[in-house]
Amino acid sequence: MDILTRRRFLVASGVAGAAALAAGAAAYRLEDLLATAGDRDPDVRTLVLVTLYGGNDGLNTVVPYADPAYHDARPELAYAGEEVRRLDDEVGLNPALAGLHSLYGEGRLAVVRGVGYPKPDRSHFRSMDIWHTAEPERPGTTGWVGRWLDRTGGDPRLAVSFEPALPPLLAGERTAGASVSVSGRRAPRGLPETALGALAAVEPGESAARARAAACFADLRAVDQMIRDVRDAAADEEGDEDAETAPATATGGARTSLDTQLDLAAECIEAGVTTRVFSVSLGGFDTHADEKQLQEVLLGQLDRALTRFAARMARTDAGRKVVVAVYSEFGRRVRANGSDGTDHGTASNVLLLGSGVRGGLHGDPPSLTDLDRGDLKFTADFRDVYATLLESVLDTEPESVLGGWRGRLTGVL
């Protein structure tokens, strides 16, 4: 989702007031986050939220390969038992999720099945608004992480987004998280380094406006250098392919690769910054046509990025206190459409991974025959997931953030 579209979304949905957006709208640099290193309690956990924009097909992610109804509903899209990466005798992961399959075998991946909410909405914007605000009954005006941020003192650096615009979930009533854009920016050709440095320097006696302009230019140069450093490191480890940027889509997702976003989060976590929540994203999951190959490509990108991040996190004490949550605004319909794809659906899976996660299959799988007008009936409310993350990861009473919600997941963290 481009910045203009995201801003329209914020205005149209009513998420966050002007004061909250202004609080999180300032440019933040890596050094602004690193300035908080050393102030962090070493015992606290970190939450990394991965948003899959477009509505990822949950049935072809966690595949019920042994269910005849699955094959009957989508004969051209269905995976056979020998194709999937088996979790048990009934379900398996998409063939592209080799790394996550290994994490599952190590007990570090939890699959929460049938996650949704009452009276589901099949609009991308409305459903993502619901997931961001955690208010399915009525349009919300603040994000659930933003409300948590309001209760923790409001420092924007406690909740950081590496997406091209501030996601609504980080917008609170009085403040908002920090947005550190990692989209590529190019300086004008022909300007020497000394000239660029002069543009970024604040001169004595300058007006406040000129000083702010210089500071913003310095921010952009610092972010560009940070991105170059991260991409160079990624290229050294795995080659240039993993460091390529990926375009945003009409339904959302950062322009930079998920690898890059997670590398930035990893740098901050390893440095011990005070940030407790990182928001990253991957777009392109609106698979109305020719789904099978496209979804495998996207899930392959997700798998490589998450597996690499999990391996890096497992090497440090701070990293072993990280919990990653992966979700999408909705799943897809059970029955395939006439274009070898699937249309907007309802309930889907939430993936949780990390050293502190109790791996395995959690929750009841939704029936593929007892449907709601062709869609899955949810078996777990997404607010149960949020409440568990707030309580067990962010050390917060969930009821104060989720409007008195008392549900929880059990046995996951």
Side-chain angles (χ1 to χ4, degrees), residues 58-120:
L59 288 177
N60 270 16
T61 302
V62 182
V63 184
Y65 68 87
D67 191 336
Y70 164 72
H71 296 275
D72 292 342
R74 42 173 72 188
E76 300 300 322
L77 293 181
Y79 287 98
E82 60 270 18
E83 295 179 286
V84 302
R85 300 184 182 277
R86 295 193 181 197
L87 303 181
D88 62 17
D89 292 336
E90 296 182 350
V91 299
L93 294 180
N94 187 285
L97 299 176
L100 292 185
H101 184 254
S102 296
L103 289 174
Y104 185 91
E106 297 167 6
R108 292 194 285 156
L109 173 67
V111 179
V112 186
R113 298 177 288 182
V115 182
Y117 55 87
K119 298 180 181 179

Side-chain angles (χ1 to χ4, degrees), residues 197-208 210-216 218:
L199 288 173
V202 178
E203 297 293 335
E206 281 189 323
S207 67
R210 287 179 178 272
R212 178 60 181 156
C216 287

Side-chain angles (χ1 to χ4, degrees), residues 116-392:
Y117 55 87
K119 298 180 181 179
D121 196 295
R122 293 169 185 81
S123 160
H124 289 293
F125 285 165
R126 177 64 186 129
S127 189
M128 190 55 77
D129 178 19
I130 289 170
W131 276 86
H132 280 187
T133 64
E135 297 188 61
E137 294 86 3
R138 59 189 180 279
T141 58
T142 56
W144 70 277
V145 175
R147 295 194 294 274
W148 166 81
L149 190 62
D150 282 340
R151 287 158 176 77
T152 58
D155 185 343
R157 294 172 295 182
L158 288 174
V160 172
S161 168
F162 292 126
E163 300 173 84
L166 187 76
L169 72 94
L170 299 189
E173 182 179 355
R174 298 180 299 277
T175 188
S179 181
V180 179
S181 176
V182 296
S183 299
R185 295 183 175 88
R186 294 181 182 273
R189 291 183 179 179
L191 289 179
E193 184 65 24
T194 53
L196 294 174
L199 288 173
V202 178
E203 297 293 335
E206 281 189 323
S207 67
R210 287 179 178 272
R212 178 60 181 156
C216 287
F217 189 73
D219 286 344
L220 297 182
R221 295 188 70 212
V223 169
D224 278 346
Q225 185 59 52
M226 173 176 60
I227 300 307
R228 284 195 295 271
D229 292 344
V230 169
R231 287 178 181 161
D232 289 346
D236 290 341
E237 289 185 18
E238 299 187 9
D240 292 337
E241 181 179 351
D242 286 336
E244 289 295 320
T245 60
T249 68
T251 52
R255 290 180 179 84
T256 49
S257 72
L258 186 58
D259 289 282
T260 301
Q261 297 172 72
L262 289 174
D263 277 340
L264 295 173
E267 281 195 24
C268 292
I269 292 165
E270 290 166 350
V273 303
T274 58
T275 305
R276 298 290 305 279
V277 181
F278 292 94
S279 175
V280 300
S281 67
L282 178 65
F285 288 90
D286 196 17
T287 51
H288 288 280
D290 301 322
E291 174 185 311
K292 202 168 188 178
Q293 182 177 2
L294 172 58
Q295 191 195 23
E296 282 194 22
V297 170
L298 292 169
L299 291 180
Q301 294 175 12
L302 176 70
D303 184 77
R304 287 190 296 274
L306 289 178
T307 304
R308 186 165 169 262
F309 180 74
R312 183 170 175 177
M313 290 297 92
R315 295 197 290 263
T316 65
D317 288 339
R320 286 188 287 272
K321 294 182 177 66
V322 172
V323 174
V324 181
V326 185
Y327 72 98
S328 193
E329 67 260 42
F330 44 60
R332 315 296 290 190
R333 291 180 70 82
V334 176
R335 186 165 297 278
N337 61 28
S339 302
D340 291 331
T342 51
D343 298 325
H344 301 177
T346 54
S348 190
N349 314 289
V350 170
L351 305 180
L352 301 175
L353 61 143
S355 297
V357 170
R358 292 176 180 168
L361 297 170
H362 297 266
D364 298 323
S367 170
L368 300 189
T369 54
D370 179 18
L371 303 175
D372 179 12
R373 294 176 296 172
D375 279 318
L376 298 173
K377 297 178 180 179
F378 78 98
T379 59
D381 195 293
F382 76 116
R383 286 166 291 187
D384 291 353
V385 179
Y386 287 172
T388 303
L389 296 174
L390 284 164
E391 187 172 68
S392 299

